[in-house]
Amino acid sequence: MSEARSVDSPAITLDEQSIVDFAQLFDPQPYHLDREAADASIFGGLCASGWQIGALASRLTGEALVDAGVRYVTTTQVNHMRWLRPTFVDDQLVAQVSFGNVLSGSPVPDCDSLDVVVVLQDAKGQAVAEMTCRVAVATGEAV
């Protein structure tokens, strides 16, 4: 069994418009939609929906794996998702993705599986979310 590898994704910055646009479509809470309401909320400022953070974690995970030379196809399951702190306007996020050996078989045809652990961090190195998932990789992938 080989040692686990860890790679970082490219960084992504959350702007106010993307936070509001996502919230309007999927999570219309006042602290995601309106700066004044957000300032008065328990969060103390306009923050992204946890579901938006989950979607970004998924995107950044795929990008990190592809950049590392893993033939990533798709995420097949999320076993655990936990939000640790709010993510605010202009926060920059990076996914630290750890993974081990390829597992034989996948629900995706012509693919094997890879278990990954993702820690989404802000520019201060603080963890904002954690996710464990299984992804499909092209059959015969050497990780």
Side-chain angles (χ1 to χ4, degrees), residues 77-132:
Q77 67 188 51
V78 174
N79 303 319
H80 171 81
M81 180 75 196
R82 186 172 138 201
W83 298 280
L84 303 170
R85 62 177 18 94
T87 305
F88 297 99
V89 174
D90 296 329
D91 276 354
Q92 188 176 65
L93 301 176
V94 172
Q96 185 177 63
V97 181
S98 300
F99 56 96
N101 292 327
V102 172
L103 308 168
S104 181
S106 169
V108 178
D110 301 319
C111 287
D112 288 322
S113 295
L114 183 64
D115 288 332
V116 299
V117 176
V118 181
V119 178
L120 203 59
Q121 298 178 330
D122 63 17
K124 297 174 191 167
Q126 300 177 106
V128 299
E130 298 170 342
M131 177 175 76
T132 59

Side-chain angles (χ1 to χ4, degrees), residues 19-32:
I19 290 172
V20 171
D21 288 349
F22 186 94
Q24 286 175 333
L25 290 170
F26 303 110
D27 194 3
Q29 305 298 320
Y31 39 80
H32 301 319

Side-chain angles (χ1 to χ4, degrees), residues 16-79:
E16 184 170 352
Q17 194 61 54
S18 70
I19 290 172
V20 171
D21 288 349
F22 186 94
Q24 286 175 333
L25 290 170
F26 303 110
D27 194 3
Q29 305 298 320
Y31 39 80
H32 301 319
L33 293 168
D34 177 81
R35 203 175 261 281
E36 286 182 28
D39 289 345
S41 76
I42 60 171
F43 299 112
L46 190 71
C47 59
S49 166
W51 299 112
Q52 183 177 14
I53 298 306
L56 289 172
S58 179
R59 171 187 166 179
L60 293 175
T61 297
E63 290 176 2
L65 291 171
V66 168
D67 288 350
V70 176
R71 295 185 321 189
Y72 168 82
V73 176
T74 191
T75 299
T76 58
Q77 67 188 51
V78 174
N79 303 319

